Structures are given as C-alpha cells and as structure tokens.
Amino acid sequence: MTAAALDPRSIHLALVGAPNSGKTSLFNALTGSRQKVANYPGVTVERKAGAFVTPTGRQISLVDLPGTYSLRGRSPDEEITRDVVLGKFPGEALPDLVLCVADSTNLRLTFRLVLELKRTGRPLMVVLNMFDIAQRRGVTVDLEALSGALGVPVVTSIAVRKGGTAELIRLTEEFAARAQEPTTGNTWAPLSIAELKALQREADKIIRDTVTMPSKPDSLTTRVDAVVLHPVAGLLILALILFVMFQAVFSWAQPMMEFLAGSFAALGTLVHDTLPDGLLQSFLQNGVISGVGSVLVFLPQIVIIFLFILLLEDFGYMARAAFLMDRIMGGAGLHGRAFIPLLSSFACAIPGIMATRVIDNRRDRLTTILIAPLMTCSARIPVYTLIISAFIPSKEVWGWINLQGLVMFGLYAAGIGSALAASFVIKFFMWRDYQPAPFMLELPDYKLPRVRSITIGVYTRAKMFLHRAGTTILSMMVLIWFLASFPQPPAGAEGPAINYSLAAMIGHFLEPALAPLGFNWQIAVALIPGMAAREVAVAALGTVYAIEGGKEAADQIGQVLADKWSLATALSLLAWFIFAPQCASTLAVIRRETGSAKWMIVTFVYMFALAYVASLITYNVARAFGA
Amino acid sequence: MTKPAALGRSVAMDIPVSNPATQLLGNAPRGFCGTIRGLDVQAGGSSLSAIELESQLIEMGFVEGARVEILHEGAIRRDPIAVRVDNITIALRRREAMAVVVF
C-alpha cells in the first residue's frame, strides 16, 4: 500500500481526465522525474505513480489514471480508472482526493465527466489545465460561480509553466489540512442514455452560465490541418515525416555512436593491457565490455526514435496520422487506432502491444497484436546497422539520399508491407464476415511540445533500455562468452580456441538447418541468444568473432563480417531479421495481453516460418545474381 | 444488422425522414455546416450495439443542438471525416456518422 496509509500527514491523489486534457504534463509537472512506471497487477495497463512534497512538508502521492470520457469502462484501461476511483481495484489505495483534469479550451466533455465523478462520492477537485492557452484564445471563467455550480473546488493550472501548479498544490494542502470530511456514499451506476443526455445538458448549462467561450476554433490548428489533413498533401507529409525519422535515426545518431563505440573499444584495450592474459581478461574484454558495449552503442538511436514518437504525440499529430491512415489500414483489415500502437512498435513491440488496449474491439486488437512485432523495433537497429555499414557502401544517390539510409528505409518498408499483408491474411481467413469496429477519435488542437515533458519521457525510456542492457543482455552475454570459451582447447590444438567450444558444437549442430539460408555456424550461435533480446545477436557475433580472432576482430566487427560473409549471406540475415522470431519478452507480453499461450505460439510459429522462407528466397536470389 | 454491401450512401433512402430539410451527417459533403437534430442509432451500419453507439456519440459531444461542420475527409471514398462539434474536432467514419441527423 502507499505511504498515504502509513503517514497521517500524507494524502493520496488520483488524476482523472479525458484524453488530451494535459493530464500527463500535469503529472510530470507535479512529480518531475520522481515517477515509477509499472503495470497494474494482473492486467497490462501502464500504472504511473509518483510523489512530491508540498512547501509545508506534506507527502503527497499520486497516480495518473488512464484517460477516459466516462466511467463506463469500455476498454481495459477505462475500467481501471473506474475501479480505482470506486475503490474496487484490489491492491490500489482509494484516492483521498480525485483531481479531474480539464483542458480549459474544451470543457464540455470534461464537465460531464465531473458530474459523473461526483456521484462516486469521492472528494473531488476540478483542475482547469492549460489555462494560459484558453486565456489567449479569449476564454473567461467565473471560477467562483463555476465552483458553486459544479459543487466542487475549481483551480486553474498551467502545467507546463514553472509555478503554474502552485495554486493547485496550495488547495490540495488546504484540503489535506482539513479534518477528513465525511464522504457521501457512492451513488454511481452505469448511466442510461437519458441520464447521459441529462448530464450533458447540465454540463452545458453550467458552461453557459459561468464560461465565455470564443466560438471560433483555434486558427493555427485550422490552418495546419488544412494542409496536414488534406487527402493528398496529408499523406505525403506523413510519408515525409516517417522518412525523415528514419534518416535521422541512421545519420544523426552516427557521431554519438562512434564516440560510444570508440570509448568501449578503448576500455577493452585498457582491460586487455592491464590484466594478464587469461580467462579473467577474456571475460571482461570479450564477454562484458564488447558484449554490453555493442548494445549500448545503440542508445543514441533509441533516444532519437523515442524523441520523434513523443514529439509527434505531444504535438497532437498522432491522432491526425490515425485519421489519415484509417481507410488505408482498413483495406488491410486494420483499425485506424492501430496506427499508434504500430508506430510505437517501431521503438519496441512491447509498449506497442501494450498500447493496443486503446482499441476497444477484441478482434481488431488481436490482429494488431499479431502484426505489431513485424514493425521494425529499435532492437533490430543494431543488427541492421552492423550489416548495412559492413556491406552497403555509404554513398549519396540522387544527390542527397544516403544509400545506407535508403536501405534502412527499405527494411522498414518491408516490415510495414509484411505487417499489412499478414493483417490482410488474418482478416481473410479468420474474420471474413465481421464488420469493422467504429473509429472515433478526438483531434486535439496542436500544442507546442514542452522540453521538460519530452525530456522526462525520453529519460524514462532510455533508463528502461539501460536497465535491460544491464540485466537481460549482460546475463546473455556472460552465457555466450561461457559457451564460446569452454571447454578450452586441448594443449597444442590447432586453430582458434572457439572451434573446440560448446558454442561451436551448438552452431555446427544447427548449421545444416540454416545452411540453405547461407548462415554459417557463427550466425547460428548468435541467433539463439538473439531470442532473449534481438540486439544480443550483434553482441553475440561480436563475442564469437572476438574470441575467434583476437583483439583486432573485436574492434572491427563490421570489417570482419565483410571479410567472412558473402553479400548473399548478409542480405539473407537482414531478411531474417525483418521477420525475426520474437524476443522472449515480446512473446511474454503477447501471452499476457491475449490471455492465452495459443496466440503466443501462433506468433512465434508464423514469424519463424516467414523468416525462414524470406531468408531462403533472399539468399538464393542474391546468389543467382552473383552476390 | 445490415450487410456491409447494403451500406453507403443509399442508406439514407431507407430512413423515414420527417423533415425534408434534415439529412444524415454521414451523407453530408465536406464543408457542410449544420445543427444536430438528434441521433438515430438504428439507422447506420455500425458494428456497435445501438446503445453503445449512442453513448459514444454523446460522450464525444454529438448532442441535440450542437453545431457541426465537416472540416476534412479522407482520401479513400471521402472517409473518415473530421467534424467540428461545437468547439472540438472529432474524427469518425461516415458509417457511424449515419446515426447523426442534422439540418
């Protein structure tokens, strides 16, 4: 249970609000980086909790509940919001105070939610967020009259400005200082259509009486949308944004990556020179430093891809992208809302699959989950980067496009194309006669993304990646090093030591199955740990070749690959990774999200089959062309 | 429930329209400006149940008397549409917009 239950001076808050109400930026403003992102027990809905201390030293813990327009609970995360507010969610403290966050420029929908929340009997406070934007647009609010009409305290806030939440904190303190008011009982029950309409009428009357709203919409949003939502220009802009994003991932990150790679190489050399030759030296240099280093090098790219996704989200573009893509994705049997989870899957399939919960329809959701892993996740970037930089010349084509970037874009496009095809097949064979679920989405006004909010988001993601590198990846690397180093070759043995190791035995055992794809035994060894986390495949190749070839090989893994592999093998491995059988954590998430092992097995088998066939074709076609 | 083939713009013909001036939002062209007369959730071909569709539309602000304007439409079969409902913008498919009676 939270600290709130222990310390009588601390209280527990819950943030409730409609999507796009600025709930998350308010949460970030209150808690800063002191937040913990985890899952609610039993369901894969993200639980964001944090804490802060008020100027008078009162401990306040708060939880950011999933955005919702009502307490009806039409999706798993909306149900969580309802259950937490009603105190029905096991293991979750009943909030002492519910903060209902409203976008001040858009009060109608939130006020109806406020009236609905009042019925739960929980102490309630309404936060008019983004009040600065509303004022600039000419919205004026009679706060006292509004508070009287709603029957709850109302406070304004500007989450993105320093000190913009002072009044909110002051009122919260006042609330906490008062003796606990006896709460009225919960009279909430699911609303009938008539009640829903009555509440909306009541909300509209309150707005009429206390708020003056300019009737004209945000002119900037209107002007931008005229271009961005244009049937032709809009799609071109979307394609351009994606293209720039992938060029950026490949080229902007380069200097930073080279710096990291150089640092790890230097560290490896330092260890090599300081320690006497032997197992410890080999373990630290080949196992730990070159292994973990070869994964950490990709941190800049992961930061860039998350930066883009978070920027587009905060700017308000994601909903537009869903609008533009709805019919196009509908042709492949996908829901427009699937666009956001699928785009997140470019960073990692795990948050992507978790984000599919915004899709209410079960079948649409399942289709999206099944194809999300085909989106090129950032864990494949290391593999792609390594092979592309070793085999594809870095030259400009058509004057300004980098050929390596173009190949990278092609790999992403192949992932997207295969995902759409897979979705089409799933729809055709499994759900031929079902009607598409509705698509209804608010297109929020554009907002300038705030540095602080983006920074916190990127920082949280980078921390998760580093944590993974420190745990899963490190332990896999230790295992690989062990397999590649033991048993030691007999005295006086010829050739590299790795030829006598367990890794070589496993690799040689698998080689016949993978030989048709052009994979040698070193690749076979690397593919196995690649299932724990895909980026480990690169690290494993690094370790295997380092132990085989000594220090020079570890520094120049790309160079070694270029010498040892044919172009056909390289292309075949790229094709393999487009479909690469899922990393273990993705499979685990699929199992958890779909609630059965069946879909996890289906995903694994179909992706394995696709990977094998794609590699087989690629290898043989490339060979036929003499590569 | 109607078959998907029966959907589209012909649906309007099957609906008793008391006032000749009213039409369905789902049939309206881009640039249409009007006021919501009410919801007729039996009409459209949405896969949602009538109650669910009506609740969702109300929650998104499609209530009697609200001013609506079709701001944008998609590239393929002019679907989905972006509708200004009073002072917010909602994207939805024409299929669901068929439940909104406007004049």
Side-chain angles (χ1 to χ4, degrees):
Chain A
M1 205 58 69
T2 59
L6 307 168
D7 179 357
R9 275 175 42 79
S10 68
I11 63 166
H12 182 57
L13 309 182
L15 294 184
V16 180
N20 313 312
S21 59
K23 213 158 47 64
T24 302
S25 57
L26 181 63
F27 181 77
N28 284 342
L30 289 172
T31 62
S33 57
R34 279 177 308 157
Q35 40 180 275
K36 239 171 89 182
V37 180
N39 279 341
Y40 288 95
V43 278
T44 318
V45 173
E46 201 173 70
R47 178 184 188 274
K48 285 175 75 182
F52 63 96
V53 182
T54 64
T56 61
R58 190 181 292 278
Q59 284 283 340
I60 300 199
S61 61
L62 78 167
V63 54
D64 184 13
L65 294 175
T68 183
Y69 292 104
S70 76
L71 293 182
R72 200 151 45 89
R74 70 191 147 109
S75 64
D77 38 342
E78 290 188 7
E79 280 170 22
I80 292 206
T81 301
R82 180 192 63 203
D83 291 348
V84 171
V85 170
L86 294 178
K88 282 185 185 162
F89 199 88
E92 194 66 41
L94 182 67
D96 299 310
L97 175 65
V98 173
L99 296 183
C100 187
V101 186
D103 170 356
S104 303
T105 60
N106 174 11
L107 296 170
R108 280 190 76 196
L109 307 185
T110 308
F111 280 9
R112 207 214 40 254
L113 178 63
V114 171
L115 295 175
E116 198 178 342
L117 278 166
K118 268 178 72 181
R119 299 188 173 195
T120 65
R122 280 284 91 203
L124 189 64
M125 183 149 83
V126 174
V127 185
L128 301 183
N129 198 19
M130 311 190 215
F131 199 66
D132 52 335
I133 302 178
Q135 278 182 317
R136 252 202 319 274
R137 286 211 205 128
V139 177
T140 54
V141 183
D142 181 346
L143 285 176
E144 251 169 64
L146 178 59
S147 174
L150 287 173
V152 296
V154 178
V155 62
T156 61
S157 92
I158 307 163
V160 292
R161 187 176 302 164
K162 211 170 156 60
T165 55
E167 182 66 6
L168 168 63
I169 294 174
R170 194 182 64 77
L171 275 186
T172 306
E173 270 193 319
E174 263 183 38
F175 166 83
R178 278 199 298 272
Q180 286 300 324
E181 311 154 60
T183 51
T184 50
N186 171 25
T187 57
W188 181 85
L191 299 180
S192 68
I193 298 285
E195 284 179 294
L196 201 58
K197 282 185 175 166
L199 279 191
Q200 186 65 65
R201 269 196 299 274
E202 196 183 333
D204 285 343
K205 184 178 180 311
I206 293 173
I207 292 177
R208 261 200 315 278
D209 292 348
T210 61
V211 182
T212 42
M213 283 273 180
S215 56
K216 66 174 181 9
D218 176 30
S219 60
L220 178 72
T221 298
T222 314
R223 281 200 306 261
V224 174
D225 272 347
V227 183
V228 165
L229 291 183
H230 185 272
V232 181
L235 285 174
L236 288 177
I237 290 170
L238 177 61
L240 190 71
I241 289 175
L242 295 180
F243 184 78
V244 168
M245 182 161 136
F246 297 130
Q247 280 281 325
V249 165
F250 203 76
S251 53
W252 298 358
Q254 213 56 39
M256 193 61 206
M257 291 174 69
E258 275 162 19
F259 169 77
L260 283 176
S263 310
F264 278 106
L267 188 64
T269 313
L270 183 74
V271 167
H272 183 88
D273 295 344
T274 342
L275 291 176
D277 281 0
L279 274 182
L280 181 66
Q281 182 208 47
S282 162
F283 172 72
L284 285 179
Q285 191 193 357
N286 299 326
V288 178
I289 296 172
S290 97
V292 173
S294 57
V295 174
L296 285 190
V297 161
F298 299 98
L299 184 63
Q301 290 187 323
I302 283 154
V303 165
I304 287 182
I305 201 152
F306 273 117
L307 184 68
F308 266 90
I309 287 178
L310 289 171
L311 277 175
L312 291 177
E313 238 168 42
D314 277 23
F315 191 58
Y317 185 75
M318 283 299 203
R320 267 80 184 178
F323 174 83
L324 289 168
M325 292 302 290
D326 181 59
R327 266 323 270 260
I328 295 167
M329 309 217 326
L334 284 168
H335 192 265
R337 281 202 178 198
F339 186 76
I340 296 163
L342 291 178
L343 196 56
S344 312
S345 299
F346 283 118
C348 174
I350 295 167
I353 289 170
M354 282 160 57
T356 60
R357 52 173 205 258
V358 300
I359 306 169
D360 338 318
N361 182 283
R362 204 186 146 269
R363 281 178 286 205
D364 286 334
R365 184 157 176 244
L366 193 51
T367 310
T368 312
I369 289 175
L370 289 180
I371 64 162
L374 286 172
M375 294 294 156
T376 305
C377 68
S378 52
R380 282 162 171 118
I381 295 176
V383 184
Y384 287 172
T385 311
L386 177 70
I387 299 174
I388 288 176
S389 51
F391 289 91
I392 310 290
S394 173
K395 61 177 186 193
E396 307 291 304
V397 287
W398 305 312
W400 62 282
I401 297 168
N402 182 296
L403 182 62
Q404 293 186 334
L406 191 67
V407 171
M408 193 73 157
F409 183 71
L411 289 167
Y412 275 89
I416 297 167
S418 56
L420 293 181
S423 156
F424 186 79
V425 170
I426 292 169
K427 183 191 176 191
F428 188 79
F429 284 104
M430 289 160 63
W431 299 311
R432 208 179 306 195
D433 34 46
Y434 105 96
Q435 303 207 8
F439 169 81
M440 237 183 263
L441 196 60
E442 191 184 335
L443 302 179
D445 285 346
Y446 289 109
K447 290 190 185 71
L448 222 47
R450 295 301 168 135
V451 178
R452 185 179 153 82
S453 195
I454 300 283
T455 313
I456 291 175
V458 171
Y459 169 77
T460 318
R461 277 18 174 248
K463 209 168 70 177
M464 276 164 73
F465 173 77
L466 291 177
H467 182 252
R468 220 156 95 87
T471 52
T472 318
I473 296 171
L474 178 62
S475 53
M476 289 317 288
M477 290 326 302
V478 171
L479 180 67
I480 292 289
W481 172 83
F482 177 82
L483 290 176
S485 302
F486 293 96
Q488 297 264 306
E494 301 268 312
I498 194 171
N499 289 357
Y500 300 90
S501 68
L502 284 166
M505 289 176 215
I506 297 171
H508 285 301
F509 175 74
L510 290 174
E511 205 181 358
L514 296 174
L517 314 182
F519 294 176
N520 57 21
W521 69 264
Q522 288 92 339
I523 298 179
V525 173
L527 289 183
I528 306 167
M531 286 185 191
R534 272 189 220 84
E535 57 271 50
V536 173
V538 166
L541 279 173
T543 305
V544 168
Y545 280 110
I547 294 177
E548 182 178 311
K551 193 171 97 51
E552 298 72 30
D555 291 346
Q556 289 297 333
I557 173 75
Q559 193 54 47
V560 173
L561 296 188
D563 292 344
K564 300 221 169 185
W565 295 358
S566 66
L567 179 60
T569 294
L571 294 177
S572 170
L573 191 59
L574 283 178
W576 173 273
F577 270 97
I578 293 175
F579 304 103
Q582 283 326 288
C583 63
S585 18
T586 303
L587 290 171
V589 167
I590 292 177
R591 193 199 133 89
R592 218 169 33 180
E593 286 288 307
T594 59
S596 81
K598 179 178 141 198
W599 294 111
M600 179 181 82
I601 295 166
V602 166
T603 313
F604 180 79
V605 170
Y606 103 85
M607 293 193 67
F608 191 89
L610 280 179
Y612 197 93
V613 171
S615 287
L616 191 66
I617 293 171
T618 308
Y619 184 64
N620 286 300
V621 169
R623 283 273 298 262
F625 279 96
Chain B
M1 191 90 4
T2 3
K3 276 199 279 267
L7 295 173
R9 274 179 276 156
S10 64
V11 167
M13 305 303 162
D14 312 334
I15 293 162
V17 181
S18 47
N19 182 338
T22 63
Q23 60 168 324
L24 303 182
L25 185 64
N27 290 331
R30 190 161 70 91
F32 169 85
C33 268
T35 305
I36 296 180
R37 159 151 299 203
L39 298 181
D40 180 4
V41 286
Q42 308 303 330
S46 173
S47 58
L48 289 179
S49 72
I51 291 184
E52 184 60 33
L53 177 61
E54 193 166 3
S55 305
Q56 280 196 25
L57 285 170
I58 295 172
E59 282 171 14
M60 291 300 206
F62 290 94
V63 289
E64 228 174 283
R67 297 279 309 158
V68 286
E69 179 184 355
I70 300 186
L71 298 177
H72 307 280
E73 51 192 18
I76 301 173
R77 293 164 115 196
R78 308 189 295 115
D79 195 34
I81 49 177
V83 184
R84 189 86 194 162
V85 187
D86 284 336
N87 61 349
I88 58 170
T89 310
I90 304 290
L92 80 170
R93 294 199 190 121
R94 287 186 178 271
R95 190 189 287 267
E96 276 76 37
M98 287 296 173
V100 182
V101 185
V102 289
F103 65 93

